[in-house]
Amino acid sequence: MENYFEMNMPKAQVDAISNLGLAHVGDGVYELLCRSWLCVHGDQTVKTLHRDTIALVKATKQAEFAEKLLPLLTEEEHAWFRRGKNAHISVPKSATREQYALATGLEALFGALYLSGRKDRLNELFAALMEE
């Protein structure tokens, strides 16, 4: 039986997933990391947890985080990021096309790292985002 909490797909299999498929997985991974970080970093009500989660997962914030991460990425990670950034997307009114592309790139990167079983690197990059 596949353990979906401990993914460890070979690179070729991860690379075979569509750009938006990687972003789809990465969106969930990123949100779970944000929710976990918020719960660990203080006593908050459900209302403030929800509000703060929304603030972290919106495309404009993800775009800001993506720009912060770019200098830290390896060549392979840049490739996954570019795949998401260059995906054909419908842009919501809450972000510019460039912001949404950067956010999708971040999600694709997080999806690829998760599916590859590279939790340590994923955690390292997420921690870099959250440090002030």
Side-chain angles (χ1 to χ4, degrees):
M1 178 171 96
E2 185 78 44
N3 180 350
Y4 295 101
F5 282 109
E6 297 287 334
M7 298 301 293
N8 194 13
M9 295 169 64
K11 183 179 181 332
Q13 194 175 358
V14 173
D15 289 344
I17 296 172
S18 72
N19 303 343
L20 293 177
L22 292 176
H24 177 72
V25 171
D27 178 56
V29 170
Y30 176 77
E31 184 166 344
L32 180 59
L33 289 168
C34 288
R35 286 173 178 242
S36 299
W37 187 88
L38 287 169
C39 284
V40 168
H41 287 86
D43 271 339
Q44 296 188 38
T45 64
V46 172
K47 183 179 180 179
T48 57
L49 283 171
H50 179 72
R51 183 198 65 222
D52 293 350
T53 299
I54 297 301
L56 289 172
V57 302
K58 65 184 182 180
T60 53
K61 187 65 172 179
Q62 286 182 339
E64 178 186 319
F65 279 165
E67 290 177 338
K68 185 176 180 179
L69 273 192
L70 285 173
L72 306 176
L73 300 182
T74 66
E75 187 176 317
E76 177 183 48
E77 292 164 350
H78 269 285
W80 282 326
F81 176 84
R82 274 190 308 274
R83 283 184 56 193
K85 183 176 176 273
N86 294 333
H88 296 287
I89 50 175
S90 298
V91 180
K93 293 178 185 177
S94 60
T96 66
R97 177 167 289 287
E98 181 181 351
Q99 288 170 325
Y100 204 69
L102 288 169
T104 305
L106 179 74
E107 291 172 348
L109 169 63
F110 275 40
L113 288 171
Y114 170 76
L115 292 171
S116 298
R118 296 177 57 197
K119 294 180 301 195
D120 289 344
R121 180 61 174 160
L122 184 57
N123 193 57
E124 180 182 333
L125 291 175
F126 183 75
L129 294 180
M130 302 312 285
E131 64 187 28
E132 294 296 321

